[in-house]
Amino acid sequence: MIKSTLLSACCLLLLATACKKNNDTPPVDPGTGTDTIPIPTGKKEAIVWIDLNANVFGTYGRFNDTAAIRKTLDTLQQIGITSLVVDVKESSGHTVFPSAYTKKVGSHNGKSLPADVDYLDFMVKKAKERNFKIYASVMTFVEGDNDDKTGAVFEDATFKNKYQSIVCDVNGKRVPITETGRPGFVNPAYPEVQDRIINILKEIVTKYAVDGVILDYGRYANIDADFSDYSKTQFIQYLKDVFHDQNANFLNFPTDIVTSWKTESGQTTPAVTGKYYKRWLAYRMSVIYNFVKKAHAGVKAARADALFGAYVGGWYGDYYPVGVNWGSQQYDPFNDPKIRMDWAYPQTKEYGYAEELGLLMTGNYFSQLYLADNPATANLTYNWWSVEGSVKGGRYVTQGKVPLVGSIDAGNTNWNQKSDIRRAIKLILSQTSGVMIFDLVHLYAPQYNKLQQPLWDEIKAGLQP
């Protein structure tokens, strides 16, 4: 899910979006209404995410050795895990299996994939032997590792000069994203970019007996992307088609969208927005929605029984900078009587993609567990910056249209005490269809978690009825 072992999947800072509130707009009102969405009942999934770089290529990773993999999977079974998410396409865009559309992952840090086996095939077989479900995850719109300078954005002239995402710097200058030191995101709007990842997804479900595929980083890099000429052309057409805007051709790009920029917590964010800003946000959400719909159809056409899911940050009210509306189309953020969404537009609800998914995992990576733990949130029903408030908010905006699985970041969260891990797991299980634990390496390698101790027992305690 995240390239660096030590980075939280919540913060996504390596791939450039913030875990804290975005301060470009007035704060989102978390709402004080009544939670009326039914809580899922029945058997709940207990999922662990297996980050490729941390578990295979990391200093203390175990998943470059088949014997160690078997032993670790046995332990997972013993503590109550029922499902695995296995990274198969990394930030370089390379895959762990031979693909017709990209290169195979090589070595990192002197470590390689397990010898003499097809890693994904081996993982599938060992998962099935233990009655685990297994999902393959892909870093959807990232095609370049800026540390190793590998991937299509560095190795293919078309990707480098055409498909690579163009971002605005703090001076308003448009530059390729890799020049800012960030990973090689590509522009999701290009049909060729979409077809490439959809073909990889289809390869996965036809070649391997995975239970499904999970989109990770199925989004824009951040609010400063994508300001390419191609996006400009598409946006002008969007204004004409959706708003019948007769002045669209006279758009001043990009200043009619963002007039000036500022640096905030290391991120480039809008200082002053232009007259088309909110319509631009809606356009970007339309791009991601249309891709998700297309990818869903492609996966189901390739294999009808394959689950199609996604991981997103659980802070819905502040997730708009990356161009994603993961809510249901039955939820209207523009006319919401309970929660203020100042970034929303009347068209925003049309781009909610919850109905396209068979599973949605949200990152609820917060040290505050319950709303009552903080006087500022004690009287609220929804709040994106606590575990309870964000899982309730997730159920609210998805309207029961998709199985929702809340998630914890076991190793990177600043827990007040170790027992908060089990409490967070039990809280999430009480509110959603399951829990996802990021990341496996945090459980067995104390060097990779802030508590500096193995976490097996705490996860087991959280999963017990």
Side-chain angles (χ1 to χ4, degrees):
M1 177 183 292
I2 296 292
K3 179 171 174 21
S4 170
T5 302
L6 301 178
L7 279 179
S8 162
C10 160
C11 290
L12 308 176
L13 287 175
L14 177 62
L15 299 184
T17 185
C19 174
K20 64 183 185 62
K21 279 199 173 186
N22 183 292
N23 295 318
D24 308 335
T25 60
V28 173
D29 183 352
T32 57
T34 302
D35 181 12
T36 59
I37 306 300
I39 295 174
T41 58
K43 186 175 176 60
K44 306 291 181 83
E45 277 202 80
I47 305 170
V48 70
W49 196 291
I50 305 175
D51 179 89
L52 180 63
N53 271 19
N55 291 279
V56 175
F57 303 121
T59 303
Y60 302 101
R62 295 180 177 178
F63 274 54
N64 53 17
D65 177 77
T66 54
I69 292 174
R70 291 188 186 95
K71 182 177 179 180
T72 306
L73 294 182
D74 287 341
T75 306
L76 288 172
Q77 186 178 35
Q78 291 162 12
I79 68 171
I81 293 297
T82 64
S83 307
L84 313 175
V85 175
V86 179
D87 283 347
V88 300
K89 178 180 178 286
E90 62 168 11
S91 59
S92 67
H94 299 163
T95 55
V96 300
F97 60 90
S99 170
Y101 305 98
T102 187
K103 294 180 179 179
K104 187 177 178 182
V105 172
S107 299
H108 293 296
N109 305 317
K111 290 193 171 185
S112 302
L113 291 167
D116 303 322
V117 296
D118 178 319
Y119 174 69
L120 181 53
D121 181 64
F122 179 80
M123 290 296 296
V124 169
K125 288 177 179 176
K126 299 309 152 187
K128 297 301 181 183
E129 287 175 5
R130 293 159 178 79
N131 295 316
F132 289 145
K133 290 183 179 178
I134 181 167
Y135 308 111
S137 68
V138 297
M139 296 186 78
T140 308
F141 292 125
V142 188
E143 297 287 350
D145 184 326
N146 214 347
D147 293 331
D148 296 337
K149 308 300 181 189
T150 57
V153 163
F154 296 99
E155 300 163 354
D156 184 297
T158 302
F159 272 83
K160 179 178 180 179
N161 300 318
K162 181 178 179 181
Y163 301 143
Q164 180 177 183
S165 186
I166 301 299
V167 299
C168 282
D169 66 15
V170 72
N171 298 312
K173 181 182 178 182
R174 295 188 290 157
V175 298
I177 192 168
T178 53
E179 291 186 9
T180 70
R182 288 182 282 171
F185 273 88
V186 287
N187 185 352
Y190 276 106
E192 298 89 344
V193 166
Q194 295 186 11
D195 290 343
R196 173 186 170 94
I197 188 61
I198 291 172
N199 284 329
I200 291 172
L201 293 171
K202 290 161 71 174
E203 275 188 323
I204 294 168
V205 298
T206 53
K207 291 181 178 180
Y208 298 94
V210 294
D211 291 281
V213 289
I214 303 294
L215 301 181
D216 194 14
Y217 296 99
R219 57 177 178 83
Y220 286 87
N222 207 342
I223 195 66
D224 58 347
D226 173 280
F227 285 92
S228 64
D229 288 342
Y230 184 78
S231 290
K232 173 185 176 181
T233 300
Q234 281 227 323
F235 181 52
I236 289 172
Q237 192 61 49
Y238 175 81
L239 291 173
K240 292 178 180 178
D241 293 343
V242 176
F243 299 102
H244 310 292
D245 189 335
Q246 301 303 311
N247 296 312
N249 285 334
F250 303 104
L251 168 75
N252 292 314
F253 188 85
T255 53
D256 276 347
I257 298 165
V258 178
T259 305
S260 63
W261 299 85
K262 61 184 178 181
T263 300
E264 186 175 66
S265 300
Q267 309 277 326
T268 301
T269 62
V272 178
T273 56
K275 63 182 179 180
Y276 282 119
Y277 179 64
K278 289 188 180 180
R279 294 187 184 192
W280 172 256
L281 297 180
Y283 154 72
R284 294 159 85 239
M285 288 182 177
S286 76
V287 170
I288 300 300
Y289 167 75
N290 288 323
F291 161 73
V292 169
K293 186 174 182 179
K294 181 179 175 182
H296 179 203
V299 168
K300 289 297 184 180
R303 208 185 93 200
D305 69 338
L307 179 140
F308 178 76
Y311 166 84
V312 295
W315 45 101
Y316 177 89
D318 293 87
Y319 208 59
Y320 68 90
V322 297
V324 172
N325 176 6
W326 50 264
S328 165
Q329 292 190 349
Q330 298 300 309
Y331 169 68
D332 185 355
F334 183 74
N335 290 306
D336 187 345
K338 297 181 180 180
I339 310 177
R340 251 180 55 229
M341 301 289 185
D342 296 312
W343 46 266
Y345 220 63
Q347 285 71 24
T348 303
K349 73 183 294 287
E350 299 173 16
Y351 309 132
Y353 68 46
E355 282 85 350
E356 296 296 326
L357 305 177
L359 179 69
L360 178 62
M361 287 178 271
T362 58
N364 309 99
Y365 304 148
F366 312 114
S367 58
Q368 181 184 336
L369 303 186
Y370 290 89
L371 291 163
D373 292 345
N374 184 339
T377 60
N379 296 319
L380 301 177
T381 303
Y382 310 109
N383 169 265
W384 303 114
W385 307 103
S386 66
V387 176
E388 180 187 17
S390 60
V391 294
K392 284 183 175 179
R395 288 196 294 105
Y396 175 61
V397 302
T398 55
Q399 295 285 296
K401 299 300 181 182
V402 59
L404 186 71
V405 170
S407 310
I408 67 164
D409 184 339
N412 291 308
T413 301
N414 290 312
W415 304 108
N416 294 312
Q417 52 199 6
K418 185 180 179 182
S419 61
D420 280 354
I421 295 176
R422 71 176 70 183
R423 294 176 65 221
I425 291 172
K426 288 185 179 296
L427 169 56
I428 290 171
L429 288 172
S430 75
Q431 294 288 326
T432 70
S433 295
V435 63
M436 185 273 280
I437 296 151
F438 181 84
D439 174 82
L440 175 58
V441 76
H442 298 150
L443 309 189
Y444 64 73
Q447 301 89 339
Y448 285 154
N449 71 63
K450 291 192 174 183
L451 293 170
Q452 295 289 289
Q453 55 187 295
L455 302 178
W456 295 116
D457 290 346
E458 208 58 41
I459 303 300
K460 182 177 181 179
L463 294 176
Q464 287 178 343

